[in-house]
Amino acid sequence: MNKTQQSVIFINYFSLGILMPVLNLIFLERGADLKTLPLLIGLYALSALIFELPSGICGDLLGRKTAFLLSAVMKLFSLTLLIAADDITLLIPCVILNGMSRAFSSGSLDALFIEQAVEAHGQDCIPSVSSRLSILEAAGFAAGSISGGFISYWGGTEGVIMVQGGLTVIVFLLCVVGIREKKERKENEKRVALGAHLRMGKEAVISSGSLKYVLLGMFFTGLLISSIETYWQPVYLEVSALKDATWTLGLVSFMGFFMSAMGNAASEKLLIKYPLGKWNIYGICRLSFSLILVILSLQTNTPGFLLGYAGFYLFHGMGNVAENTLINQYTPNHIRASILSLSSFVFQLGCLSASLASSFLAARIPIAGIWKLSGNLCFVSIIILLVQVMKRNKTIINPKTP
């Protein structure tokens, strides 16, 4: 990856990160209330979920760069509505466009950069590129989330919106000028029809048996992430030794992003050192990921919570690189953006399922019980998934003779 490509990825996630600490506050200032705020957040998630697969198909058929540029345009329209909003009427199309923008940006440039790297250096470079992309994402979110608090303090919520809009314009221009996409389709060739493209995607998932297991694993990753992200703040404040520890929440969030980036880097080194052990690395990381949530649920003091939280995101980052490496290894170039969008779609399904289950369980069991249940469920599910992969690989290596 060249410097322009890395800059586009980092600045894009930085711009997303600066809005994270104050987004709910902005909604409340511009016409939402405590009753409509959850509906807006849910509408954003639903919009991103609905457009995940169409955005990936758009990236494969019309171009990855085109899909990303469309995402930036949608983001600018969304921010314009957010600036103008003074009631819920404008906030609704604002969050819908924001969700669509997130869907069209996820996986589009990732697919392009991975393809270009594989074409230039071969399949062995996938762990390095996946790690670099994950590190840039985590670093962008971390730096953005820290900066967003300061920007809102100095310039108010309007200042945050304006800064994100300016960064979006910069990313758009950098992408237009500095990123090139090779057009594999020749002029005399017909564009692949939508139906044929969908059939190719279905065939890729079915024929590559291991790919469907990686995608299934992403469902449980989403379930765990949603479980902790929904409740870690109140749990931390409850166990914190400080009477008023709200000012430390940003630091704890930053630590999570930082540990995730460290996990990305560690996983890259392991994957390069043990190129045939991708599934082993993936399995160990995801099983540890699940167990640490159970351990975290047992913590009753600040040091224990922080150690558990750091470990959770360390193994999350390590597992992500192994996961992305496996997905890209099994995915052909012509449907890469669609498969990456499918993986994001499955991840979002896991998040949505956890949210619905948590809302049902929260009135019946404590948060610690929800974390224990989620961690144990995912641990058992990942073991079953890994056993199926081992059986399949053993069958391929040692086929039965007639």
Side-chain angles (χ1 to χ4, degrees):
M1 292 176 65
N2 60 42
K3 291 182 178 180
T4 301
Q5 293 173 333
Q6 294 183 62
S7 297
V8 168
I9 294 295
F10 177 81
I11 296 173
N12 182 54
Y13 283 106
F14 180 88
S15 71
L16 294 174
I18 62 173
L19 208 61
M20 290 175 65
V22 293
L23 182 58
N24 289 353
L25 177 61
I26 293 174
F27 284 155
L28 291 171
E29 284 184 353
R30 282 168 164 72
D33 55 34
L34 294 179
K35 292 181 179 179
T36 56
L37 181 60
L39 297 178
L40 290 173
I41 296 172
L43 188 58
Y44 164 79
L46 182 61
S47 176
L49 188 69
I50 290 173
F51 285 95
E52 274 293 355
L53 292 180
S55 67
I57 295 169
C58 173
D60 283 329
L61 297 183
L62 302 181
R64 277 70 171 194
K65 181 176 173 179
T66 300
F68 186 80
L69 293 176
L70 284 172
S71 165
V73 172
M74 293 173 189
K75 170 64 71 177
L76 289 174
F77 275 115
S78 174
L79 292 174
T80 301
L81 290 172
L82 189 56
I83 283 285
D86 57 5
D87 58 34
I88 194 71
T89 307
L90 289 180
L91 290 178
I92 290 175
C94 168
V95 297
I96 292 175
L97 281 170
N98 196 19
M100 291 172 64
S101 171
R102 187 63 192 272
F104 273 79
S105 68
S106 68
S108 51
L109 289 188
D110 290 19
L112 176 60
F113 297 158
I114 288 171
E115 284 176 16
Q116 292 176 344
V118 169
E119 184 178 347
H121 306 290
Q123 292 275 344
D124 291 341
C125 74
I126 291 179
S128 296
V129 180
S130 296
S131 173
R132 181 60 58 87
L133 289 168
S134 296
I135 289 172
L136 289 169
E137 176 182 343
F141 271 135
S145 61
I146 289 289
S147 301
F150 289 109
I151 294 171
S152 65
Y153 178 76
W154 291 322
T157 54
E158 274 197 11
V160 176
I161 299 171
M162 296 301 295
V163 169
Q164 188 181 58
L167 290 172
T168 303
V169 172
I170 291 172
V171 168
F172 182 92
L173 295 175
L174 277 175
C175 186
V176 170
V177 175
I179 293 179
R180 297 287 180 265
E181 181 174 10
K182 180 181 177 182
K183 302 297 183 182
E184 297 185 65
R185 185 173 57 88
K186 298 178 181 179
E187 292 183 3
N188 60 346
E189 291 179 346
K190 293 182 178 179
R191 190 183 298 275
V192 177
L194 176 60
H197 184 80
L198 292 174
R199 287 192 294 273
M200 285 189 290
K202 178 182 176 182
E203 181 61 28
V205 174
I206 294 175
S207 61
S208 178
S210 297
L211 178 57
K212 63 186 177 186
Y213 292 117
V214 190
L215 294 174
L216 182 59
M218 291 203 71
F219 175 86
F220 298 107
T221 300
L223 193 149
L224 285 177
I225 287 294
S226 180
S227 298
I228 193 169
E229 285 297 329
T230 302
Y231 295 116
W232 76 263
Q233 292 96 336
V235 172
Y236 169 72
L237 292 175
E238 183 179 338
V239 303
S240 176
L242 300 175
K243 293 183 178 179
D244 183 12
T246 55
W247 62 272
T248 64
L249 293 177
L251 296 176
V252 177
S253 182
F254 175 83
M255 181 184 70
F257 286 123
F258 178 80
M259 294 306 298
S260 181
M262 292 300 98
N264 298 153
S267 184
E268 176 191 359
K269 295 183 183 299
L270 288 172
L271 290 166
I272 292 174
K273 187 174 183 179
Y274 305 105
L276 299 180
K278 296 183 184 71
W279 272 106
N280 293 332
I281 295 169
Y282 169 81
I284 291 171
C285 292
R286 284 303 183 234
L287 290 174
S288 301
F289 182 52
S290 304
L291 278 179
I292 288 177
L293 184 59
V294 178
I295 295 172
L296 189 60
S297 70
L298 303 174
Q299 303 310 306
T300 57
N301 55 63
T302 304
F305 180 91
L306 292 178
L307 282 173
Y309 188 84
F312 182 89
Y313 278 97
L314 174 69
F315 281 104
H316 172 54
M318 292 180 69
N320 277 356
V321 175
E323 188 174 66
N324 292 334
T325 299
L326 287 168
I327 290 174
N328 283 289
Q329 175 182 303
Y330 296 132
T331 303
N333 282 343
H334 61 280
I335 58 169
R336 191 177 302 278
S338 296
I339 295 299
L340 290 179
S341 286
L342 175 60
S343 69
S344 182
F345 176 82
V346 175
F347 174 83
Q348 295 292 344
L349 276 182
C351 292
L352 182 60
S353 299
S355 297
L356 294 174
S358 296
S359 65
F360 173 78
L361 293 171
R364 294 164 175 80
I365 60 176
I367 295 173
I370 295 175
W371 283 1
K372 289 175 186 175
L373 182 62
S374 300
N376 284 311
L377 171 64
C378 292
F379 184 84
V380 173
S381 301
I382 294 296
I383 285 181
I384 295 172
L385 183 151
L386 293 172
V387 168
Q388 294 301 314
V389 171
M390 290 173 60
K391 286 181 178 179
R392 182 182 182 279
N393 291 342
K394 185 177 180 181
T395 302
I396 294 173
I397 296 172
N398 301 304
K400 295 181 180 179
T401 55

